[in-house]
Amino acid sequence: MTTLREVAQEVGMSISTVSRAISGNGQVSPEARELIRQTVDRLGFKPNPIAQGLRTGRTNAVAVVVSDIEQGSQASLTKCLQQALEEVGVEMILMNLSHDVSRLNLLAERVEAMRLRGVILAATDRLPPRQVRALVEGVGEGVEVLSVGQRLDRYAIPSFVHDETGAAEMAVTYLLKNKRWPIAYCSRVRSSITGEERLRGYVMALEKAGITIDQDLIWDMSDSGLFRQAAGFTAVTQALQRKTPFRALLAGSDEIALGAMAAVLDGGLQVPKDVAIIGFGGLDWGASVRPRLTTLTSDLAGIAKGIQARFAANRIDKAPMLTTSKRELCLRASA
């Protein structure tokens, strides 16, 4: 493996000059910078982020915090973020909460110990204000904290979100136009800020249609201990056993929708003839199940590019910022 010293010897310059040229910090003439760049490419030199951190006080690494890496949308977001960050020379470290928000208490300490450059909060769980404030106050100067998926701009954390309320309203309105009523909603609500925002859209669509909200059709899985397919399968199975009447379901994720579809079919009903189902996430496998899953897609790549631009700028901007993108209804066959 080529070292910084070997690059310096090859170009006939000091190690400090080569280091400044590679990092972009400090004064180096354009001619010397170009020679160093060509030599680095020819020798295949890769900067050591740990060594850089020891010199500068910060590594070029960012921690990405997710609620559940097994959830398809969180895995897809992580993949998009990793690719976007690597394109601008930023390493990604994954922290999976496993829906245990108390683990955030360790994050500020780890940020300082690992000399991280930034933190991306991509958790869908409801984050306690006290822990968010402690994180912001504890990471120190020179560390960028961003949020993906929920608004934290009130804590001066720039936030990249989807219009979850508008998306849910759009989905329910589509079902109503196709005479799919009663409509159930299944997700985590009390423990998930995104679940709550989608419930708001569900309620808004029904109220605009003049339909009274039926609490028996709102299935909050927060206290069930179940996630993904198991949550959807259990909620629908129990509803069928109670003989709760419903002809459509808005699911809080594609995985919940998949579990719900299995329960409907096991109950001797057909999708979408008897029960129409719409999920959230736009996961690729939704097109391969039968019937194909209608879903609300998301612009994860666009969000990743927005985050990439902030780290590529190599500066910390703690001004409150909110970037909102829309979800699109991808019609297939389950609704």
Side-chain angles (χ1 to χ4, degrees), residues 104 121 126-137 139 143-147 150-159 193 317-321:
L104 280 176
L121 295 171
R126 192 182 301 277
L127 302 179
R130 177 179 53 80
Q131 289 178 305
V132 175
R133 294 191 187 97
L135 175 63
V136 173
E137 294 169 0
V139 296
V143 180
E144 176 111 60
V145 180
L146 304 176
S147 175
Q150 59 179 293
R151 290 191 60 171
L152 296 177
D153 50 311
R154 61 188 177 279
Y155 303 108
I157 298 177
S159 304
I193 190 66
D317 182 0
K318 294 192 175 182
M321 181 207 76

PDB file of all heavy atoms in Angstrom, residues 104 121 126-137 139 143-147 150-159 193 317-321:
ATOM      1  N   LEU A 104     -29.513   6.413  21.835  1.00  0.00           N
ATOM      2  CA  LEU A 104     -29.012   7.732  21.446  1.00  0.00           C
ATOM      3  C   LEU A 104     -28.149   8.351  22.535  1.00  0.00           C
ATOM      4  O   LEU A 104     -27.325   9.228  22.262  1.00  0.00           O
ATOM      5  CB  LEU A 104     -30.184   8.664  21.132  1.00  0.00           C
ATOM      6  CG  LEU A 104     -30.841   8.531  19.758  1.00  0.00           C
ATOM      7  CD1 LEU A 104     -32.034   9.455  19.654  1.00  0.00           C
ATOM      8  CD2 LEU A 104     -29.844   8.826  18.651  1.00  0.00           C
ATOM      9  N   LEU A 121     -29.265  11.631  11.395  1.00  0.00           N
ATOM     10  CA  LEU A 121     -30.332  10.955  12.127  1.00  0.00           C
ATOM     11  C   LEU A 121     -31.407  10.546  11.130  1.00  0.00           C
ATOM     12  O   LEU A 121     -32.198  11.369  10.666  1.00  0.00           O
ATOM     13  CB  LEU A 121     -30.914  11.884  13.188  1.00  0.00           C
ATOM     14  CG  LEU A 121     -29.967  12.294  14.325  1.00  0.00           C
ATOM     15  CD1 LEU A 121     -30.610  13.383  15.181  1.00  0.00           C
ATOM     16  CD2 LEU A 121     -29.595  11.089  15.174  1.00  0.00           C
ATOM     17  N   ARG A 126     -39.957   8.056  17.223  1.00  0.00           N
ATOM     18  CA  ARG A 126     -40.117   9.364  17.853  1.00  0.00           C
ATOM     19  C   ARG A 126     -38.924   9.608  18.779  1.00  0.00           C
ATOM     20  O   ARG A 126     -38.690   8.857  19.730  1.00  0.00           O
ATOM     21  CB  ARG A 126     -41.424   9.401  18.641  1.00  0.00           C
ATOM     22  CG  ARG A 126     -41.834  10.787  19.094  1.00  0.00           C
ATOM     23  CD  ARG A 126     -43.105  10.704  19.910  1.00  0.00           C
ATOM     24  NE  ARG A 126     -44.187  10.124  19.141  1.00  0.00           N
ATOM     25  CZ  ARG A 126     -44.955  10.805  18.294  1.00  0.00           C
ATOM     26  NH1 ARG A 126     -44.743  12.087  18.120  1.00  0.00           N
ATOM     27  NH2 ARG A 126     -45.937  10.200  17.634  1.00  0.00           N
ATOM     28  N   LEU A 127     -38.147  10.658  18.508  1.00  0.00           N
ATOM     29  CA  LEU A 127     -36.946  10.943  19.287  1.00  0.00           C
ATOM     30  C   LEU A 127     -37.280  11.898  20.426  1.00  0.00           C
ATOM     31  O   LEU A 127     -37.788  13.002  20.187  1.00  0.00           O
ATOM     32  CB  LEU A 127     -35.866  11.554  18.387  1.00  0.00           C
ATOM     33  CG  LEU A 127     -35.454  10.699  17.182  1.00  0.00           C
ATOM     34  CD1 LEU A 127     -34.404  11.433  16.361  1.00  0.00           C
ATOM     35  CD2 LEU A 127     -34.936   9.342  17.622  1.00  0.00           C
ATOM     36  N   PRO A 128     -37.011  11.515  21.667  1.00  0.00           N
ATOM     37  CA  PRO A 128     -37.301  12.382  22.814  1.00  0.00           C
ATOM     38  C   PRO A 128     -36.549  13.706  22.716  1.00  0.00           C
ATOM     39  O   PRO A 128     -35.339  13.718  22.442  1.00  0.00           O
ATOM     40  CB  PRO A 128     -36.808  11.557  24.016  1.00  0.00           C
ATOM     41  CG  PRO A 128     -36.819  10.144  23.530  1.00  0.00           C
ATOM     42  CD  PRO A 128     -36.452  10.217  22.082  1.00  0.00           C
ATOM     43  N   PRO A 129     -37.228  14.841  22.916  1.00  0.00           N
ATOM     44  CA  PRO A 129     -36.569  16.154  22.813  1.00  0.00           C
ATOM     45  C   PRO A 129     -35.315  16.261  23.670  1.00  0.00           C
ATOM     46  O   PRO A 129     -34.318  16.853  23.253  1.00  0.00           O
ATOM     47  CB  PRO A 129     -37.664  17.121  23.277  1.00  0.00           C
ATOM     48  CG  PRO A 129     -38.943  16.424  22.961  1.00  0.00           C
ATOM     49  CD  PRO A 129     -38.670  14.971  23.201  1.00  0.00           C
ATOM     50  N   ARG A 130     -35.371  15.703  24.886  1.00  0.00           N
ATOM     51  CA  ARG A 130     -34.218  15.805  25.780  1.00  0.00           C
ATOM     52  C   ARG A 130     -32.984  15.159  25.155  1.00  0.00           C
ATOM     53  O   ARG A 130     -31.874  15.706  25.254  1.00  0.00           O
ATOM     54  CB  ARG A 130     -34.543  15.115  27.109  1.00  0.00           C
ATOM     55  CG  ARG A 130     -33.394  15.079  28.102  1.00  0.00           C
ATOM     56  CD  ARG A 130     -33.817  14.413  29.394  1.00  0.00           C
ATOM     57  NE  ARG A 130     -34.407  13.095  29.161  1.00  0.00           N
ATOM     58  CZ  ARG A 130     -33.666  11.992  28.950  1.00  0.00           C
ATOM     59  NH1 ARG A 130     -32.357  12.066  28.959  1.00  0.00           N
ATOM     60  NH2 ARG A 130     -34.262  10.832  28.764  1.00  0.00           N
ATOM     61  N   GLN A 131     -33.172  14.014  24.500  1.00  0.00           N
ATOM     62  CA  GLN A 131     -32.031  13.326  23.907  1.00  0.00           C
ATOM     63  C   GLN A 131     -31.515  14.051  22.669  1.00  0.00           C
ATOM     64  O   GLN A 131     -30.312  14.076  22.415  1.00  0.00           O
ATOM     65  CB  GLN A 131     -32.427  11.892  23.561  1.00  0.00           C
ATOM     66  CG  GLN A 131     -32.617  11.007  24.794  1.00  0.00           C
ATOM     67  CD  GLN A 131     -33.057   9.597  24.430  1.00  0.00           C
ATOM     68  OE1 GLN A 131     -34.048   9.407  23.740  1.00  0.00           O
ATOM     69  NE2 GLN A 131     -32.315   8.617  24.878  1.00  0.00           N
ATOM     70  N   VAL A 132     -32.429  14.639  21.905  1.00  0.00           N
ATOM     71  CA  VAL A 132     -32.005  15.393  20.727  1.00  0.00           C
ATOM     72  C   VAL A 132     -31.181  16.603  21.151  1.00  0.00           C
ATOM     73  O   VAL A 132     -30.120  16.889  20.584  1.00  0.00           O
ATOM     74  CB  VAL A 132     -33.220  15.832  19.892  1.00  0.00           C
ATOM     75  CG1 VAL A 132     -32.779  16.720  18.731  1.00  0.00           C
ATOM     76  CG2 VAL A 132     -33.971  14.616  19.353  1.00  0.00           C
ATOM     77  N   ARG A 133     -31.661  17.317  22.165  1.00  0.00           N
ATOM     78  CA  ARG A 133     -30.915  18.489  22.644  1.00  0.00           C
ATOM     79  C   ARG A 133     -29.555  18.084  23.184  1.00  0.00           C
ATOM     80  O   ARG A 133     -28.547  18.766  22.945  1.00  0.00           O
ATOM     81  CB  ARG A 133     -31.720  19.210  23.735  1.00  0.00           C
ATOM     82  CG  ARG A 133     -33.017  19.846  23.238  1.00  0.00           C
ATOM     83  CD  ARG A 133     -33.606  20.746  24.303  1.00  0.00           C
ATOM     84  NE  ARG A 133     -34.925  21.246  23.919  1.00  0.00           N
ATOM     85  CZ  ARG A 133     -36.066  20.701  24.318  1.00  0.00           C
ATOM     86  NH1 ARG A 133     -36.050  19.645  25.143  1.00  0.00           N
ATOM     87  NH2 ARG A 133     -37.223  21.195  23.923  1.00  0.00           N
ATOM     88  N   ALA A 134     -29.507  16.967  23.914  1.00  0.00           N
ATOM     89  CA  ALA A 134     -28.234  16.497  24.468  1.00  0.00           C
ATOM     90  C   ALA A 134     -27.254  16.150  23.362  1.00  0.00           C
ATOM     91  O   ALA A 134     -26.052  16.413  23.469  1.00  0.00           O
ATOM     92  CB  ALA A 134     -28.475  15.283  25.366  1.00  0.00           C
ATOM     93  N   LEU A 135     -27.779  15.572  22.277  1.00  0.00           N
ATOM     94  CA  LEU A 135     -26.910  15.232  21.153  1.00  0.00           C
ATOM     95  C   LEU A 135     -26.352  16.477  20.497  1.00  0.00           C
ATOM     96  O   LEU A 135     -25.141  16.583  20.252  1.00  0.00           O
ATOM     97  CB  LEU A 135     -27.695  14.406  20.131  1.00  0.00           C
ATOM     98  CG  LEU A 135     -26.952  14.075  18.825  1.00  0.00           C
ATOM     99  CD1 LEU A 135     -25.731  13.214  19.114  1.00  0.00           C
ATOM    100  CD2 LEU A 135     -27.886  13.391  17.836  1.00  0.00           C
ATOM    101  N   VAL A 136     -27.221  17.452  20.234  1.00  0.00           N
ATOM    102  CA  VAL A 136     -26.784  18.692  19.588  1.00  0.00           C
ATOM    103  C   VAL A 136     -25.735  19.410  20.433  1.00  0.00           C
ATOM    104  O   VAL A 136     -24.740  19.928  19.918  1.00  0.00           O
ATOM    105  CB  VAL A 136     -27.986  19.614  19.319  1.00  0.00           C
ATOM    106  CG1 VAL A 136     -27.527  20.979  18.813  1.00  0.00           C
ATOM    107  CG2 VAL A 136     -28.943  18.969  18.321  1.00  0.00           C
ATOM    108  N   GLU A 137     -25.968  19.433  21.739  1.00  0.00           N
ATOM    109  CA  GLU A 137     -25.043  20.133  22.637  1.00  0.00           C
ATOM    110  C   GLU A 137     -23.763  19.346  22.865  1.00  0.00           C
ATOM    111  O   GLU A 137     -22.715  19.920  23.154  1.00  0.00           O
ATOM    112  CB  GLU A 137     -25.730  20.390  23.980  1.00  0.00           C
ATOM    113  CG  GLU A 137     -26.907  21.357  23.882  1.00  0.00           C
ATOM    114  CD  GLU A 137     -27.735  21.390  25.152  1.00  0.00           C
ATOM    115  OE1 GLU A 137     -27.377  20.645  26.095  1.00  0.00           O
ATOM    116  OE2 GLU A 137     -28.730  22.144  25.204  1.00  0.00           O
ATOM    117  N   VAL A 139     -22.121  17.074  20.698  1.00  0.00           N
ATOM    118  CA  VAL A 139     -21.220  16.672  19.608  1.00  0.00           C
ATOM    119  C   VAL A 139     -20.064  17.634  19.416  1.00  0.00           C
ATOM    120  O   VAL A 139     -19.045  17.288  18.832  1.00  0.00           O
ATOM    121  CB  VAL A 139     -21.997  16.520  18.285  1.00  0.00           C
ATOM    122  CG1 VAL A 139     -23.004  15.401  18.375  1.00  0.00           C
ATOM    123  CG2 VAL A 139     -22.672  17.834  17.878  1.00  0.00           C
ATOM    124  N   VAL A 143     -18.959  19.548  13.957  1.00  0.00           N
ATOM    125  CA  VAL A 143     -19.692  18.323  13.643  1.00  0.00           C
ATOM    126  C   VAL A 143     -21.062  18.692  13.076  1.00  0.00           C
ATOM    127  O   VAL A 143     -21.831  19.396  13.721  1.00  0.00           O
ATOM    128  CB  VAL A 143     -19.873  17.425  14.879  1.00  0.00           C
ATOM    129  CG1 VAL A 143     -20.640  16.165  14.514  1.00  0.00           C
ATOM    130  CG2 VAL A 143     -18.517  17.069  15.481  1.00  0.00           C
ATOM    131  N   GLU A 144     -21.348  18.228  11.882  1.00  0.00           N
ATOM    132  CA  GLU A 144     -22.636  18.506  11.231  1.00  0.00           C
ATOM    133  C   GLU A 144     -23.653  17.458  11.657  1.00  0.00           C
ATOM    134  O   GLU A 144     -23.401  16.258  11.571  1.00  0.00           O
ATOM    135  CB  GLU A 144     -22.479  18.461   9.713  1.00  0.00           C
ATOM    136  CG  GLU A 144     -23.776  18.645   8.961  1.00  0.00           C
ATOM    137  CD  GLU A 144     -23.851  19.956   8.206  1.00  0.00           C
ATOM    138  OE1 GLU A 144     -23.002  20.192   7.340  1.00  0.00           O
ATOM    139  OE2 GLU A 144     -24.772  20.725   8.480  1.00  0.00           O
ATOM    140  N   VAL A 145     -24.820  17.900  12.119  1.00  0.00           N
ATOM    141  CA  VAL A 145     -25.916  17.002  12.477  1.00  0.00           C
ATOM    142  C   VAL A 145     -27.076  17.278  11.529  1.00  0.00           C
ATOM    143  O   VAL A 145     -27.537  18.418  11.417  1.00  0.00           O
ATOM    144  CB  VAL A 145     -26.370  17.198  13.936  1.00  0.00           C
ATOM    145  CG1 VAL A 145     -27.510  16.230  14.263  1.00  0.00           C
ATOM    146  CG2 VAL A 145     -25.205  16.988  14.893  1.00  0.00           C
ATOM    147  N   LEU A 146     -27.543  16.236  10.839  1.00  0.00           N
ATOM    148  CA  LEU A 146     -28.639  16.351   9.890  1.00  0.00           C
ATOM    149  C   LEU A 146     -29.731  15.351  10.255  1.00  0.00           C
ATOM    150  O   LEU A 146     -29.468  14.349  10.923  1.00  0.00           O
ATOM    151  CB  LEU A 146     -28.159  16.070   8.457  1.00  0.00           C
ATOM    152  CG  LEU A 146     -27.000  16.911   7.922  1.00  0.00           C
ATOM    153  CD1 LEU A 146     -26.603  16.416   6.538  1.00  0.00           C
ATOM    154  CD2 LEU A 146     -27.379  18.384   7.866  1.00  0.00           C
ATOM    155  N   SER A 147     -30.938  15.619   9.802  1.00  0.00           N
ATOM    156  CA  SER A 147     -32.049  14.696  10.022  1.00  0.00           C
ATOM    157  C   SER A 147     -32.648  14.281   8.685  1.00  0.00           C
ATOM    158  O   SER A 147     -32.808  15.114   7.788  1.00  0.00           O
ATOM    159  CB  SER A 147     -33.123  15.343  10.887  1.00  0.00           C
ATOM    160  OG  SER A 147     -34.253  14.494  10.998  1.00  0.00           O
ATOM    161  N   GLN A 150     -37.648  13.019   9.521  1.00  0.00           N
ATOM    162  CA  GLN A 150     -38.496  13.756  10.456  1.00  0.00           C
ATOM    163  C   GLN A 150     -37.926  15.140  10.707  1.00  0.00           C
ATOM    164  O   GLN A 150     -36.708  15.359  10.666  1.00  0.00           O
ATOM    165  CB  GLN A 150     -38.679  13.005  11.770  1.00  0.00           C
ATOM    166  CG  GLN A 150     -37.438  12.674  12.547  1.00  0.00           C
ATOM    167  CD  GLN A 150     -37.787  11.938  13.837  1.00  0.00           C
ATOM    168  OE1 GLN A 150     -38.395  12.487  14.756  1.00  0.00           O
ATOM    169  NE2 GLN A 150     -37.409  10.665  13.902  1.00  0.00           N
ATOM    170  N   ARG A 151     -38.826  16.100  10.949  1.00  0.00           N
ATOM    171  CA  ARG A 151     -38.436  17.489  11.126  1.00  0.00           C
ATOM    172  C   ARG A 151     -37.773  17.698  12.484  1.00  0.00           C
ATOM    173  O   ARG A 151     -38.384  17.467  13.527  1.00  0.00           O
ATOM    174  CB  ARG A 151     -39.651  18.405  11.026  1.00  0.00           C
ATOM    175  CG  ARG A 151     -40.237  18.529   9.646  1.00  0.00           C
ATOM    176  CD  ARG A 151     -41.259  19.648   9.599  1.00  0.00           C
ATOM    177  NE  ARG A 151     -40.672  20.943   9.954  1.00  0.00           N
ATOM    178  CZ  ARG A 151     -41.316  22.101   9.821  1.00  0.00           C
ATOM    179  NH1 ARG A 151     -42.555  22.113   9.374  1.00  0.00           N
ATOM    180  NH2 ARG A 151     -40.724  23.233  10.159  1.00  0.00           N
ATOM    181  N   LEU A 152     -36.531  18.139  12.450  1.00  0.00           N
ATOM    182  CA  LEU A 152     -35.823  18.508  13.672  1.00  0.00           C
ATOM    183  C   LEU A 152     -35.225  19.906  13.534  1.00  0.00           C
ATOM    184  O   LEU A 152     -34.302  20.284  14.260  1.00  0.00           O
ATOM    185  CB  LEU A 152     -34.713  17.483  13.977  1.00  0.00           C
ATOM    186  CG  LEU A 152     -35.179  16.056  14.286  1.00  0.00           C
ATOM    187  CD1 LEU A 152     -33.988  15.138  14.502  1.00  0.00           C
ATOM    188  CD2 LEU A 152     -36.099  16.027  15.501  1.00  0.00           C
ATOM    189  N   ASP A 153     -35.760  20.694  12.579  1.00  0.00           N
ATOM    190  CA  ASP A 153     -35.217  22.033  12.356  1.00  0.00           C
ATOM    191  C   ASP A 153     -35.450  22.953  13.552  1.00  0.00           C
ATOM    192  O   ASP A 153     -34.769  23.961  13.709  1.00  0.00           O
ATOM    193  CB  ASP A 153     -35.797  22.654  11.077  1.00  0.00           C
ATOM    194  CG  ASP A 153     -37.314  22.572  11.005  1.00  0.00           C
ATOM    195  OD1 ASP A 153     -37.854  21.483  11.240  1.00  0.00           O
ATOM    196  OD2 ASP A 153     -37.955  23.606  10.727  1.00  0.00           O
ATOM    197  N   ARG A 154     -36.424  22.607  14.427  1.00  0.00           N
ATOM    198  CA  ARG A 154     -36.645  23.427  15.623  1.00  0.00           C
ATOM    199  C   ARG A 154     -35.470  23.327  16.590  1.00  0.00           C
ATOM    200  O   ARG A 154     -35.332  24.148  17.499  1.00  0.00           O
ATOM    201  CB  ARG A 154     -37.935  23.000  16.322  1.00  0.00           C
ATOM    202  CG  ARG A 154     -37.967  21.558  16.819  1.00  0.00           C
ATOM    203  CD  ARG A 154     -39.359  21.196  17.309  1.00  0.00           C
ATOM    204  NE  ARG A 154     -39.481  19.807  17.746  1.00  0.00           N
ATOM    205  CZ  ARG A 154     -39.656  18.786  16.920  1.00  0.00           C
ATOM    206  NH1 ARG A 154     -39.709  18.986  15.608  1.00  0.00           N
ATOM    207  NH2 ARG A 154     -39.780  17.560  17.378  1.00  0.00           N
ATOM    208  N   TYR A 155     -34.624  22.312  16.397  1.00  0.00           N
ATOM    209  CA  TYR A 155     -33.399  22.177  17.191  1.00  0.00           C
ATOM    210  C   TYR A 155     -32.180  22.675  16.403  1.00  0.00           C
ATOM    211  O   TYR A 155     -31.050  22.351  16.740  1.00  0.00           O
ATOM    212  CB  TYR A 155     -33.170  20.714  17.571  1.00  0.00           C
ATOM    213  CG  TYR A 155     -34.319  20.082  18.321  1.00  0.00           C
ATOM    214  CD1 TYR A 155     -35.139  19.144  17.698  1.00  0.00           C
ATOM    215  CD2 TYR A 155     -34.593  20.419  19.641  1.00  0.00           C
ATOM    216  CE1 TYR A 155     -36.199  18.550  18.379  1.00  0.00           C
ATOM    217  CE2 TYR A 155     -35.660  19.835  20.328  1.00  0.00           C
ATOM    218  CZ  TYR A 155     -36.456  18.905  19.680  1.00  0.00           C
ATOM    219  OH  TYR A 155     -37.508  18.328  20.353  1.00  0.00           O
ATOM    220  N   ALA A 156     -32.439  23.434  15.342  1.00  0.00           N
ATOM    221  CA  ALA A 156     -31.377  23.919  14.447  1.00  0.00           C
ATOM    222  C   ALA A 156     -30.667  22.767  13.751  1.00  0.00           C
ATOM    223  O   ALA A 156     -29.480  22.853  13.459  1.00  0.00           O
ATOM    224  CB  ALA A 156     -30.379  24.795  15.200  1.00  0.00           C
ATOM    225  N   ILE A 157     -31.407  21.683  13.493  1.00  0.00           N
ATOM    226  CA  ILE A 157     -30.876  20.548  12.739  1.00  0.00           C
ATOM    227  C   ILE A 157     -31.493  20.575  11.345  1.00  0.00           C
ATOM    228  O   ILE A 157     -32.714  20.408  11.211  1.00  0.00           O
ATOM    229  CB  ILE A 157     -31.202  19.205  13.422  1.00  0.00           C
ATOM    230  CG1 ILE A 157     -30.550  19.134  14.804  1.00  0.00           C
ATOM    231  CG2 ILE A 157     -30.765  18.032  12.559  1.00  0.00           C
ATOM    232  CD1 ILE A 157     -30.884  17.864  15.575  1.00  0.00           C
ATOM    233  N   PRO A 158     -30.697  20.808  10.302  1.00  0.00           N
ATOM    234  CA  PRO A 158     -31.243  20.787   8.939  1.00  0.00           C
ATOM    235  C   PRO A 158     -31.928  19.447   8.669  1.00  0.00           C
ATOM    236  O   PRO A 158     -31.388  18.389   8.992  1.00  0.00           O
ATOM    237  CB  PRO A 158     -30.001  20.968   8.068  1.00  0.00           C
ATOM    238  CG  PRO A 158     -29.039  21.699   8.953  1.00  0.00           C
ATOM    239  CD  PRO A 158     -29.260  21.140  10.320  1.00  0.00           C
ATOM    240  N   SER A 159     -33.126  19.487   8.065  1.00  0.00           N
ATOM    241  CA  SER A 159     -33.950  18.294   7.942  1.00  0.00           C
ATOM    242  C   SER A 159     -34.377  18.044   6.499  1.00  0.00           C
ATOM    243  O   SER A 159     -34.768  18.974   5.788  1.00  0.00           O
ATOM    244  CB  SER A 159     -35.194  18.415   8.826  1.00  0.00           C
ATOM    245  OG  SER A 159     -34.831  18.655  10.178  1.00  0.00           O
ATOM    246  N   ILE A 193     -42.949   9.039  14.580  1.00  0.00           N
ATOM    247  CA  ILE A 193     -43.387  10.341  14.106  1.00  0.00           C
ATOM    248  C   ILE A 193     -43.917  10.245  12.690  1.00  0.00           C
ATOM    249  O   ILE A 193     -44.892  10.909  12.318  1.00  0.00           O
ATOM    250  CB  ILE A 193     -42.247  11.375  14.202  1.00  0.00           C
ATOM    251  CG1 ILE A 193     -42.775  12.787  13.941  1.00  0.00           C
ATOM    252  CG2 ILE A 193     -41.105  11.033  13.268  1.00  0.00           C
ATOM    253  CD1 ILE A 193     -43.723  13.284  14.986  1.00  0.00           C
ATOM    254  N   ASP A 317     -23.141  24.457   8.377  1.00  0.00           N
ATOM    255  CA  ASP A 317     -24.187  25.466   8.323  1.00  0.00           C
ATOM    256  C   ASP A 317     -25.302  25.013   9.260  1.00  0.00           C
ATOM    257  O   ASP A 317     -26.061  24.107   8.946  1.00  0.00           O
ATOM    258  CB  ASP A 317     -24.714  25.610   6.894  1.00  0.00           C
ATOM    259  CG  ASP A 317     -25.772  26.691   6.778  1.00  0.00           C
ATOM    260  OD1 ASP A 317     -26.087  27.315   7.811  1.00  0.00           O
ATOM    261  OD2 ASP A 317     -26.297  26.906   5.669  1.00  0.00           O
ATOM    262  N   LYS A 318     -25.387  25.645  10.429  1.00  0.00           N
ATOM    263  CA  LYS A 318     -26.356  25.217  11.438  1.00  0.00           C
ATOM    264  C   LYS A 318     -27.652  26.015  11.389  1.00  0.00           C
ATOM    265  O   LYS A 318     -28.466  25.938  12.310  1.00  0.00           O
ATOM    266  CB  LYS A 318     -25.728  25.304  12.830  1.00  0.00           C
ATOM    267  CG  LYS A 318     -24.587  24.300  13.009  1.00  0.00           C
ATOM    268  CD  LYS A 318     -24.165  24.176  14.444  1.00  0.00           C
ATOM    269  CE  LYS A 318     -23.112  23.086  14.612  1.00  0.00           C
ATOM    270  NZ  LYS A 318     -22.704  22.885  16.009  1.00  0.00           N
ATOM    271  N   ALA A 319     -27.858  26.759  10.300  1.00  0.00           N
ATOM    272  CA  ALA A 319     -29.119  27.478  10.167  1.00  0.00           C
ATOM    273  C   ALA A 319     -30.253  26.475   9.950  1.00  0.00           C
ATOM    274  O   ALA A 319     -30.087  25.495   9.228  1.00  0.00           O
ATOM    275  CB  ALA A 319     -29.036  28.444   8.984  1.00  0.00           C
ATOM    276  N   PRO A 320     -31.416  26.688  10.596  1.00  0.00           N
ATOM    277  CA  PRO A 320     -32.539  25.769  10.404  1.00  0.00           C
ATOM    278  C   PRO A 320     -32.906  25.663   8.928  1.00  0.00           C
ATOM    279  O   PRO A 320     -32.979  26.670   8.215  1.00  0.00           O
ATOM    280  CB  PRO A 320     -33.667  26.425  11.207  1.00  0.00           C
ATOM    281  CG  PRO A 320     -32.968  27.264  12.231  1.00  0.00           C
ATOM    282  CD  PRO A 320     -31.737  27.761  11.536  1.00  0.00           C
ATOM    283  N   MET A 321     -33.112  24.452   8.444  1.00  0.00           N
ATOM    284  CA  MET A 321     -33.418  24.233   7.040  1.00  0.00           C
ATOM    285  C   MET A 321     -34.358  23.054   6.933  1.00  0.00           C
ATOM    286  O   MET A 321     -34.220  22.066   7.652  1.00  0.00           O
ATOM    287  CB  MET A 321     -32.136  23.958   6.254  1.00  0.00           C
ATOM    288  CG  MET A 321     -32.364  23.730   4.756  1.00  0.00           C
ATOM    289  SD  MET A 321     -31.080  22.700   4.037  1.00  0.00           S
ATOM    290  CE  MET A 321     -31.574  21.087   4.646  1.00  0.00           C
TER     291      MET A 321
END
